[in-house]
Amino acid sequence: MNNIEQNIQDVRNHITLAAQKCGRIPEQITLLAVSKTKPAGDIAKAIAAGQREFGENYVQEGVEKIQHFSNRNDLVWHFIGPLQSNKSRLVAENFDWCHTIDREKIAQRLSEQRPENMAPLNVLIQINISGEESKSGILLEDLTELAARINALPNLVLRGLMAIPAPESNPERQVAVFRLMEQAFLDLKTHYPQIDTLSMGMTDDMEAAITCGSTLVRIGTAIFGAR
């Protein structure tokens, strides 16, 4: 039995310490609880502990949970998994955020499919920062063009960048990779004033990510236990 409430408290303390260590304000860092494959009961416990932002990797499962908690209008749902074109409508109609945009076609579909009565969908461009063949995301040199195209779409708001670096246990090497993301994020901000979100850092590399300016850490295991 993992104590979700205690785990959330521990993670929040960890975020605070990591932020203070590098002279940042802890409140500038959002904790995204990654609830994929976890039952609604676990999410309910997290909500009871004050958690409001949740990340889902699988469209269908995420939509079911969003519907389950539809009586709560204070929750924010992030889609953080790879998105296939045939599932884009479900994301456009149900989620508040999509972190994994890596091609214009998907962005166009999300914009077209976003219902008129909903606020624009907040989107992040996924960067394949470690250049891994198997990972989704674009290379940094393609960012300028994709950002311009997404920024022109009416029902999306480009809010920033997201990355899932290759697993790396050495904290110095973690920082080296995250610094590249931080620089790209700061460059993008100079062109688009609404850019405010740098989604990077998970249970094992959260501290390095916070050191490098992450504004949102995606934590699953440390909150809900191993899958």
Side-chain angles (χ1 to χ4, degrees):
M1 166 66 194
N2 64 7
N3 183 342
I4 289 169
E5 205 155 335
Q6 183 60 53
N7 292 349
I8 285 179
Q9 197 48 59
D10 291 347
V11 171
R12 290 193 181 281
N13 291 341
H14 191 167
I15 289 172
T16 299
L17 286 172
Q20 286 169 344
K21 206 185 275 188
C22 61
R24 295 185 61 202
I25 299 166
E27 288 71 30
Q28 292 172 340
I29 301 151
T30 298
L31 170 58
L32 182 64
V34 178
S35 43
K36 64 172 178 185
T37 75
K38 298 296 174 190
D42 283 5
I43 296 177
K45 288 177 189 161
I47 293 171
Q51 181 62 29
R52 295 292 177 267
E53 314 235 0
F54 294 92
E56 289 286 331
N57 285 57
Y58 307 108
V59 178
Q60 205 65 51
E61 182 197 338
V63 169
E64 282 167 23
K65 290 175 187 172
I66 291 169
Q67 287 167 349
H68 180 89
F69 291 102
S70 59
N71 61 328
R72 304 217 35 147
N73 58 7
D74 58 340
L75 303 182
V76 181
W77 295 93
H78 299 245
F79 184 73
I80 59 173
L83 182 55
Q84 291 135 336
S85 314
N86 61 346
K87 298 274 177 68
S88 62
R89 180 177 294 280
L90 284 170
V91 170
E93 290 178 349
N94 291 279
F95 283 85
D96 303 295
W97 287 75
C98 180
H99 287 224
T100 50
I101 307 286
D102 61 358
R103 49 197 197 283
E104 188 187 357
K105 179 186 160 193
I106 282 278
Q108 271 174 334
R109 287 180 70 103
L110 288 169
S111 183
E112 283 160 16
Q113 294 165 340
R114 184 69 169 173
E116 288 300 313
N117 62 341
M118 292 177 83
L121 181 68
N122 298 295
V123 299
L124 302 177
I125 293 175
Q126 183 173 354
I127 306 289
N128 185 349
I129 196 63
S130 305
E132 295 171 276
E133 295 276 317
S134 61
K135 284 263 175 79
S136 13
I138 61 165
L139 297 174
L140 277 177
E141 57 257 35
D142 300 326
L143 175 57
T144 307
E145 188 182 345
L146 185 59
R149 290 174 184 274
I150 290 174
N151 193 59
L153 295 169
N155 298 317
L156 304 183
V157 181
L158 179 60
R159 297 285 294 271
L161 304 176
M162 179 268 224
I164 309 170
E168 173 56 73
S169 53
N170 176 324
E172 280 167 28
R173 284 205 290 267
Q174 288 176 353
V175 165
V177 172
F178 285 140
R179 284 279 179 230
L180 297 172
M181 285 297 300
E182 182 180 32
Q183 195 50 57
F185 173 66
L186 294 172
D187 290 347
L188 200 59
K189 246 173 130 77
T190 61
H191 298 284
Y192 305 103
Q194 80 278 15
I195 298 282
D196 59 4
T197 303
L198 181 54
S199 164
M200 63 186 193
M202 289 149 71
T203 296
D204 294 331
D205 57 10
M206 172 169 93
E207 199 157 325
I210 289 172
T211 303
C212 299
S214 169
T215 68
L216 181 148
V217 290
R218 308 182 303 271
I219 308 294
T221 311
I223 292 176
F224 296 109
R227 284 196 288 292

